Amino acid sequence: MTDRIPTGVPTRPGPRPRVDIPYPRLSPGLRSYFATEGGGATLLLAASAIALVWANVAGDSYHALWETPVNLTVGTWELHLSLHHWVNDFLMAVFFFVVGVEVNRELTVGELRTFRAASVPLFGAIGGLAVPIGIYLLINPSGPDASGWGLPMSTDTAFVIGVLALAGPRCPDQLRVFLLTLAIFDDIGAIALLGIFYSDAISMGALALAALLTLVLFAMRWVGVWQIPPYLLVGLILWVAVLESGLHPTLAGVVVGLSVPTARRGHDDQARRDLGWYSRALMEDLDPTRSRLAVSAARSAVPTSDRILDALHPVSSYFVVPVFGLANAGVALTGESISAALSSPVTLGVLVGLVLGKGIGVFAGAMIALTTGLGTLPGQVRYGHLAGGAFLCGIGFTIALFVSELAFDDEALINEAKVGIIVGSILSGVIGILVLRYFGDRLPLCSPHEASGPPPLPDGAWRPPA
């Protein structure tokens, strides 16, 4: 919050504690920094660096920790997963749930609610999937190496948005919305391809149950269910069904995120009247029933999507994504492994696919939508910003690391792929930053739109305000 709180108004509800226990407090500058995506990206980078050091200094303990079995038993039903799979399958479903909610809001009530606005990131995502896959298969056309075609296809949403917040142009909000939407389209396509081509045997019964639960979620939205718990409950069952079906369970997070309501319940005036009525009733008599009704009225006045983002966005940025980096970035970098990676077609395919494939594919796909008149860039986003954002999409760190575990069984191939992922993601980030900084100074996002220009000055002599 940037607004100042009036004197005498409590900063938080509830009685003050009898004992004020001191605890370390962040400076205002650090609090402001960690309130943006840059803070989450910093934690992800730090966790990944720790994983790299850990895996190379004490690799046995690193792998032993993440292979620890964590089983769940309910009656006769059992779920056997390692700690590593809980992170990749469950925590990342939470991450995709949050991203899905953000894009759901933009597609329904935000900047991208029209087809023309959404078609450019959609076509960019299609190009960003097809071109890297094609480049990888050109370099690795057959054999066990060819199964890694999915490595360079996906964009790391957290890193891209974090890098944009840290080193992007001034006023990057419209570019952030564009890249976030492109990333979720990219993620949906990548997860669909993973589910089809990298899954185990498909269970049709579990798949049918997942389809039914998806219909239930969108039916709940249609009838006007605004409470969060029903969506979380059905979403949890959907996650189990998708996991049992053989598809990747993070797909459940995307589905739930796209299904939650984003519009306000009824009219704002009616919501305010309801809130005022129940609040006055509670002030007249402080009993549990009136308290519960007043809380429900307050929650119903705020869109479900906004309340979910307020609760889960910090969890996703500051816990889920860093833990994922810690669990997946541990690559053994020995002289032998680096030498093998330098001559490996897998490393080359991943590297070229991320750096050139994503940049060319995203930019070309977006330009097709723009030149054919199907879409338009949001706000004041320019072509130079589009080019820089396209190269940033080559940061495929988290999902690419995850795909490497699915694509290969050979540990040597996995390490070669991870070297290509790390180097390719770094190069893509550097190129994207340089392009954005170059065009950001010449094509500022916060300049007035060319069509309308700046607002006209008033007539007459200027006078200071009273």
Side-chain angles (χ1 to χ4, degrees), residues 101-168:
V101 172
E102 283 195 306
V103 175
N104 179 16
R105 186 176 60 176
E106 292 297 333
L107 291 173
T108 52
V109 296
E111 294 285 343
L112 302 171
R113 60 184 178 273
T114 64
F115 176 76
R116 292 200 71 216
S119 62
V120 180
L122 174 61
F123 276 73
I126 294 172
L129 290 170
V131 176
I133 293 174
I135 289 177
Y136 183 91
L137 290 176
L138 284 175
I139 299 174
N140 300 275
S142 61
D145 296 356
S147 61
W149 57 265
L151 287 163
M153 69 178 177
S154 188
T155 296
D156 189 320
T157 310
F159 253 135
V160 170
I161 301 302
V163 168
L164 183 65
L166 287 171

Side-chain angles (χ1 to χ4, degrees), residues 95-97 99-101 103-104 107 122 125-126 129 153-155 157 180-196 218 248 250-259 358 399:
F95 168 76
F96 283 114
F97 172 46
V99 175
V101 172
V103 175
N104 179 16
L107 291 173
L122 174 61
I126 294 172
L129 290 170
M153 69 178 177
S154 188
T155 296
T157 310
L180 185 62
T181 308
L182 188 148
I184 192 60
F185 285 144
D186 180 281
D187 289 336
I188 291 173
I191 291 175
L193 292 174
L194 290 179
I196 296 172
F218 283 95
H248 197 267
T250 51
L251 186 61
V254 177
V255 172
V256 180
L258 295 176
S259 69
K358 293 297 287 189
I399 304 304

